[in-house]
Amino acid sequence: MSKKSIFTERYRRLKTLLIEARAAAGLTQAELASKLARPQSFVSKYERGERRLDLIELMEVCDALGAEPTQIIKKLR
C-alpha cells in the first residue's frame, strides 16, 4: 500500500500551478484569502505544502483566481 503524502511530485506541481495562477491574476495571498473568506494563512499553508486542498477547496480557489480547474488538472498528468 502506498503512503499518502502532500510531498509528491504531482502535488508539488499543483502548488506551483496555483502560485502561478495567483500571480497571473495579480493577487497577493491576502487578497486571494479575502476573496475566499479565509485567513491569509490558508493560502500560505497550501502554497507551502503544509496543507492539502480537497477537490471542493481546489474549485473554490480556481474560481477566485478566474482559473479553469480542468486546465490546471490537465497539466498534472
Side-chain angles (χ1 to χ4, degrees), residues 2 9 13 22 39 42 47 50-51 60 68 76-77:
S2 67
E9 177 61 25
R13 288 194 325 257
R22 180 175 58 76
F42 172 81
E47 285 189 357
E50 292 181 15
R51 182 188 194 294
E60 290 171 350
E68 183 60 44
L76 294 176
R77 292 188 154 191

Side-chain angles (χ1 to χ4, degrees), residues 35-65:
K35 290 181 95 168
L36 295 167
R38 302 273 188 132
Q40 180 270 331
S41 61
F42 172 81
V43 177
S44 176
K45 285 181 180 180
Y46 78 71
E47 285 189 357
R48 288 183 300 176
E50 292 181 15
R51 182 188 194 294
R52 184 181 279 264
L53 294 175
D54 67 25
L55 179 61
I56 302 303
E57 291 168 332
L58 175 61
M59 291 172 61
E60 290 171 350
V61 169
C62 288
D63 287 345
L65 293 172

Side-chain angles (χ1 to χ4, degrees), residues 1-18:
M1 184 188 305
S2 67
K3 188 170 148 183
K4 289 188 177 181
S5 172
I6 61 174
F7 301 108
T8 64
E9 177 61 25
R10 187 175 275 176
Y11 199 78
R12 187 196 62 74
R13 288 194 325 257
L14 175 62
K15 293 184 321 177
T16 299
L17 290 168
L18 292 175

Side-chain angles (χ1 to χ4, degrees), residues 22 26-33 43:
R22 180 175 58 76
L27 296 172
T28 65
Q29 286 184 350
E31 291 166 335
L32 175 56
V43 177

